[in-house]
């Protein structure tokens, strides 16, 4: 293992470690132990774990370590049939021999995979073939009854390829406030566009790539869709997945619209209105052919449970993903192991430490469940699988906390809430941080849709209120500049790179403040009778309301 260059002189001294462990000087409750957290991160990100790739020999080591630590904390196996694990069966789709083209009258544009277009599938098949499929522009491709919005207007779209805008209508014109302003809703995510198109019976989708509303460039699209795709094993994949999922370069789409006698920018502006009517591209069609190799792999969620005393059928969740990228191409130093110390051995260590806290304390009335998810780096697959195949009924899952890439640089002034305004977890968290002298930091301008990119989301999408929060703001302890530099360097040079390695010099005082908040709010819920609520306007409220008769105050 290659250690990160020492920051010991400016960050974590032995005295600071002692303070973190006892709660002195950090505002943390006694019992959280920085040395224990550090050791968990060190072990899980060791080279011998080979980057914690899913369905690799390293997975068995991860499962064994987590199971042993949960058991030592006093938890029992929480998976099906009294096991520590839940099998997560995944389909792996590898596309090859990809050809694609646009046609309009005598004009034909052959397109190269990764250049003008990026296409794939997550629907089991040996071959995908679309021949001269009609193209229809459906604006943002949204059907949101709670917002009185329907881009489809009941039109028959079977057999057609939908041309769709990325993000949602408010990105270009936040003052509309139809979808909550600048911050992206789930309706803006590419995953939603494909899911809704499947419900409409479409043959395929081409999302028009634009860097600003997507929040990433075309290279990210080309790299992500040019490799094998994964999905959970679905009982009726044909009803949930379109045959062809794709993106198209903006300039190509603009030219296509022009040739069809349409103005892309004018139609894009029209698509910001509830009155928008979908528009067929006269005479335009799309064709594609590609081979698909489908195979199955089995990975594992690790599930630990502490049964409640009086309401064991009601569950408070804590979640984090254990997986990382595994091994890849060597970096400049020759290192090819993506250790994933911060992402997300830190969140996994946080789960283990929370389990120890709950295990040491008197039992709560409701059950507490810890889930270490697999497959987050492949598209939230472990959490998606659990949400589709819950071990504990979602209707009686009180709510939960997700931890991903925690703070290892020291105490900060705020607690950032990703997805602020979605649920009353906002108020619960705000009250819990007051004794720490911190303030809540909403993500009002989160146009990148971060709320929809971590493991809490598959649960939220199915109605379970989930908090996704963590350290944000300025550092509170000297040396400020050194802490800021370390935090910035991680984002610039270590995130999703082989250099995301454990350091013996990290300062866990800020992480422990966050864990204290999650523990206090979760314990209050586990000993109470109330249920966190979605706020008016949240796209997840209607789903939760469908099971309201199964919950009692």
């Amino acid at each position: 293992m290659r250690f990160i260059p020492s920051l010991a002189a400016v960050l974590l001294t032995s005295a600071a470690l002692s303070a973190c462990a006892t709660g002195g000087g950090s505002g943390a409750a006694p019992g959280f132990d920085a040395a224990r957290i550090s050791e968990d991160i060190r072990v899980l990100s060791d080279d011998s774990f080979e980057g914690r790739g899913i369905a690799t020999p390293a997975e068995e080591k991860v499962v064994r370590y987590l199971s042993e630590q949960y058991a030592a904390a006093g938890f029992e196996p929480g998976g099906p049939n009294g096991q520590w694990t839940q099998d997560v069966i995944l389909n792996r789709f590898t596309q090859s021999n990809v050809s694609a083209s646009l046609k309009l009258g005598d004009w034909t544009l052959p397109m190269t995979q990764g250049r003008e277009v990026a296409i794939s599938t997550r629907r089991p098949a040996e071959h995908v073939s679309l021949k001269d499929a009609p193209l229809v522009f459906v604006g943002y491709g949204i059907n949101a009854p709670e917002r009185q919005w329907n881009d489809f207007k009941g039109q028959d779209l079977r057999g057609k390829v939908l041309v769709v805008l990325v993000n949602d209508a408010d990105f270009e014109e936040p003052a509309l406030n139809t979808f909550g302003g600048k911050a992206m809703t789930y309706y803006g995510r590419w995953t939603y566009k494909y899911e809704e198109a499947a419900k409409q019976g479409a043959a395929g989708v081409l999302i028009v790539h634009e860097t600003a509303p997507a929040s990433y460039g075309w290279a990210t699209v080309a790299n992500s869709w040019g490799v094998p795709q994964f999905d959970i094993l679905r009982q009726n994949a044909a009803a949930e997945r379109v045959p062809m999922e794709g993106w198209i370069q903006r300039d190509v789409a603009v030219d296509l619209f022009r040739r069809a006698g349409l103005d892309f920018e004018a139609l894009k502006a029209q698509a910001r209105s509830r009155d928008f009517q979908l528009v067929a591209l006269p005479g335009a069609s799309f064709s594609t052919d590609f081979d698909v190799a489908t195979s199955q792999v089995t990975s594992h969620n690790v599930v630990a449970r502490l049964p409640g005393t009086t309401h064991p059928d009601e569950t408070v969740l804590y979640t984090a993903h254990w997986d990382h990228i595994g091994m890849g191409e060597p970096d400049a130093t020759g290192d090819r192991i993506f250790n994933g110390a911060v992402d997300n051995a830190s969140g996994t260590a946080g789960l283990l430490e929370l389990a120890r806290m709950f295990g040491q304390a008197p039992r709560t009335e409701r059950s507490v469940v810890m889930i270490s998810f697999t497959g987050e780096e492949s598209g939230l697959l472990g959490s998606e699988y659990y949400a589709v195949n819950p071990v504990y009924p979602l209707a009686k899952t009180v709510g939960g906390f997700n931890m991903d890439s925690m703070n290892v640089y020291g105490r900060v002034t705020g607690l950032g809430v990703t997805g602020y305004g979605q649920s009353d977890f906002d108020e619960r968290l705000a009250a819990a941080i007051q004794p720490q002298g911190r303030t809540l930091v909403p993500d009002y301008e989160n146009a990148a849709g971060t709320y929809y990119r971590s493991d809490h989301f598959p649960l939220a999408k199915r109605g379970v209120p989930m908090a996704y929060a963590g350290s944000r703001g300025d550092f509170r302890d000297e040396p400020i500049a050194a802490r800021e530099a370390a935090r910035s360097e991680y984002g610039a040079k270590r995130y999703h790179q082989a250099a995301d390695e454990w350091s013996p010099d990290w300062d866990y005082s800020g992480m422990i403040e966050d864990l204290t908040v999650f523990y206090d709010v979760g314990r209050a819920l586990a000993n109470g009778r109330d249920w966190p609520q979605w706020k008016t306007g949240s796209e997840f409220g209607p789903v939760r309301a469908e099971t309201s008769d199964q919950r009692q105050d």
Side-chain angles (χ1 to χ4, degrees):
M1 170 176 281
R2 184 175 79 250
F3 288 149
I4 292 174
S6 177
L7 296 172
V10 293
L11 287 182
L12 193 57
T13 64
S14 58
L17 267 173
S18 176
C20 290
T22 62
S26 71
F32 287 103
D33 190 324
R36 255 185 337 227
I37 293 170
S38 181
E39 178 64 6
D40 285 333
I41 297 175
R42 185 196 68 79
V43 170
L44 289 165
S45 61
D46 187 80
D47 280 357
S48 64
F49 280 72
E50 299 181 332
R52 301 192 305 281
I54 66 173
T56 68
E59 178 168 339
E60 183 179 348
K61 295 185 67 172
V62 175
V63 170
R64 183 185 309 114
Y65 183 80
L66 296 180
S67 302
E68 290 172 351
Q69 296 303 314
Y70 283 132
F75 277 61
E76 63 181 35
N81 304 315
Q83 300 177 343
W84 284 108
T85 59
Q86 177 189 35
D87 288 352
V88 177
I89 305 171
L90 305 175
N91 275 328
R92 182 178 189 266
F93 307 97
T94 305
Q95 63 268 17
S96 59
N97 303 318
V98 179
S99 66
S101 64
L102 293 171
K103 182 179 179 181
L104 201 162
D106 295 333
W107 173 77
T108 300
L109 177 67
M111 295 188 290
T112 301
Q113 172 80 330
R115 187 178 301 168
E116 295 88 3
V117 72
I119 56 181
S120 61
T121 190
R122 289 180 293 164
R123 182 172 176 173
E126 294 183 356
H127 189 80
V128 173
S129 180
L130 300 179
K131 179 66 173 175
D132 295 330
L135 290 162
V136 181
F137 177 62
V138 295
Y140 287 95
I142 295 172
N143 180 18
E146 77 282 3
R147 297 173 188 265
Q148 297 82 51
W149 190 286
N150 186 347
D151 285 326
F152 306 102
K153 306 294 193 296
Q155 297 295 310
D156 184 1
L157 297 171
R158 289 174 293 181
K160 296 179 173 62
V161 171
L162 311 186
V163 182
V164 184
L165 299 170
V166 71
N167 215 306
D168 56 47
D170 288 4
F171 177 83
E172 302 288 350
E173 197 173 344
L176 292 172
N177 202 34
T178 313
F179 290 88
K182 192 77 170 179
M184 184 191 287
T185 64
Y186 183 57
Y187 297 118
R189 287 283 288 147
W190 58 265
T191 49
Y192 170 81
K193 314 288 186 182
Y194 295 148
E195 291 165 2
E196 185 58 40
K199 294 178 183 177
Q200 300 293 329
V205 178
L206 289 173
I207 300 174
V208 179
H209 175 264
E210 296 183 280
T211 298
S215 80
Y216 40 77
W218 177 257
T220 298
V221 173
N223 292 337
S224 299
W225 271 260
V227 298
Q229 305 296 300
F230 289 86
D231 194 16
I232 64 171
L233 184 65
R234 298 178 183 273
Q235 292 185 347
N236 188 7
E240 299 181 58
R241 293 286 180 246
V242 289
M244 188 278 295
E245 300 177 347
W247 293 74
I248 187 170
Q249 283 266 32
R250 181 187 186 279
D251 290 346
V252 177
V254 170
D255 185 50
L256 172 66
F257 277 56
R258 180 184 63 79
R259 291 176 182 273
L262 302 171
D263 185 324
F264 176 80
E265 286 298 331
L267 286 173
K268 184 178 173 182
Q270 292 176 27
R272 298 171 203 160
S273 168
R274 287 187 175 92
D275 298 328
F276 168 77
Q277 298 288 330
L278 56 82
V279 178
L281 276 65
S285 64
F286 174 83
S287 299
T288 187
D289 278 282
F290 56 95
D291 296 321
V292 184
T294 305
S295 58
Q296 284 188 5
V297 298
T298 300
S299 189
H300 303 87
N301 292 329
V302 182
V303 188
R305 182 174 184 254
L306 198 63
T309 56
T310 56
H311 300 284
D313 60 329
E314 299 173 0
T315 302
V316 175
L317 278 182
Y318 288 88
T319 68
H321 72 93
W322 63 256
D323 69 298
H324 197 54
I325 296 171
M327 295 190 291
E329 293 298 316
D331 66 7
T333 72
D335 191 351
R336 60 187 296 260
I337 299 175
F338 291 75
N339 302 80
V342 172
D343 183 16
N344 186 33
S346 65
T348 302
L351 269 189
L352 295 177
E353 193 64 8
L354 283 164
R356 294 171 187 131
M357 284 292 290
F358 275 102
Q360 294 168 7
R363 288 285 183 93
T364 54
E365 297 176 11
R366 288 165 159 165
S367 296
V368 175
V369 170
M370 308 280 171
I371 308 180
S372 299
F373 285 125
T374 185
E376 191 272 352
E377 301 288 4
S378 298
L380 316 183
L381 297 182
S383 52
E384 176 70 13
Y385 190 89
Y386 180 88
V388 173
N389 306 278
V391 180
Y392 305 100
L394 299 187
K396 290 196 172 184
T397 298
V398 179
F401 306 82
N402 182 56
M403 295 170 289
D404 196 346
S405 300
M406 301 194 76
N407 171 19
V408 295
Y409 306 110
R411 299 190 308 150
V412 294
T413 56
L415 181 75
V417 177
T418 301
Y420 181 85
Q422 288 281 4
S423 77
D424 65 19
F425 266 117
D426 298 344
E427 287 72 29
R428 298 171 192 271
L429 294 171
I433 61 175
Q434 284 184 351
Q436 298 175 348
R438 294 201 285 169
T439 57
L440 208 66
V441 183
D443 64 337
Y444 288 125
E445 298 297 310
N446 193 345
T450 311
Y451 186 75
Y452 313 104
R453 298 185 180 186
S454 194
D455 280 320
H456 60 283
F457 177 61
L459 293 156
K461 184 169 68 172
R462 291 168 176 85
V464 179
M466 295 291 294
Y468 184 30
S471 294
R472 197 174 301 165
D474 298 328
F475 287 104
R476 300 163 68 185
D477 304 311
E478 292 291 346
I480 303 296
R483 297 177 191 275
E484 289 178 344
R487 182 170 62 182
S488 296
E489 187 206 26
Y490 174 78
K493 299 182 178 180
R494 303 188 186 280
Y495 172 69
H496 275 209
Q497 299 184 49
D500 184 2
E501 304 217 33
W502 171 81
S503 169
D505 307 323
W506 280 337
D507 182 343
Y508 297 98
S509 57
M511 177 176 172
I512 287 176
E513 284 195 332
D514 291 348
L515 291 174
T516 301
V517 170
F518 303 154
Y519 177 80
D520 289 346
V521 176
R523 188 167 185 84
L525 285 171
N527 276 326
R529 296 304 307 137
D530 60 328
W531 302 79
Q533 300 294 316
W534 294 106
K535 293 183 177 178
T536 301
S538 170
E539 57 265 49
F540 313 118
V543 181
R544 186 67 159 178
E546 292 174 4
T547 60
S548 59
D549 60 332
Q550 299 181 46
R551 291 182 293 279
Q552 298 178 351
D553 293 333

